[in-house]
Amino acid sequence: MATGSNIDSFTNSKKDIRRRYNKISKWYDFFANWGEQKGRRIGLEMLNVKDGEQILEIGFGTGHLLVQLAKSSNKSGNIYGIDISDKMCQIAMERIRKEKLSIPVHIICGDAEFIPFPSNIFDGIIMCFTLELFAMLVISAVLDECGRILRNDGRICVISLEKHARENIIIKLYEWAHRKFPGYIDCHSIPVSDLIRDNGFAIEDEKSIAIWGLPVKIVLASKRWR
């Protein structure tokens, strides 16, 4: 991962992302699930899924949040997920099958920059530690796609590593680990609120938390009329 001062030079090709997450898919939950739980829980509360809604998760990984979204929807609505890693898709589909959920969960292995849905069909979108995987130039394209497929009263929740002006020892260690192990520590901190606002959304709520000492921002925003 890259943080802070070198954010603009960060690159992470989609081919690299797919290959990396296919490689680590079997062990992903072992080293990432526990740390992501807190962010997922708060993001789910902020998104506040209602019965009958159409919700999309971008970058669902091994499918934990897809299951929680389906359970939050009670007995109506549809949950969709898109992820670039076919191995992650396989693991998520197996998790969903075992849960025997009361509403359908639809899995798509694809690219968030080109989401294969018509415009204005989703009530909500959520991304958990996904947006910061993309290079900065791609982030705007992904958010533009989110705006396209959301209804005019739709909302988006993004949980992301936050670009922070002050660096502590944990952040410095994280940067060192990224330089040494970029294939496993690949997220970069981003000014998430500014990016969401600059790409046509109105910020509704924000929460700041720390995970393993790293600053994390959870942002809920609504789609401005387009």
Side-chain angles (χ1 to χ4, degrees), residues 82 108-111 114-118 121 145 148-149:
I82 185 168
I108 297 167
C109 189
D111 184 350
F114 306 98
I115 300 173
F117 288 103
I121 67 165
E145 272 290 86
R148 180 185 67 80
I149 62 176

Side-chain angles (χ1 to χ4, degrees), residues 125-144:
I125 294 173
I126 190 165
M127 283 184 272
C128 185
F129 300 106
T130 296
L131 190 63
E132 66 268 48
L133 288 173
F134 297 104
M136 290 297 289
L137 291 176
V138 179
I139 287 176
S140 291
V142 171
L143 290 173
D144 192 58

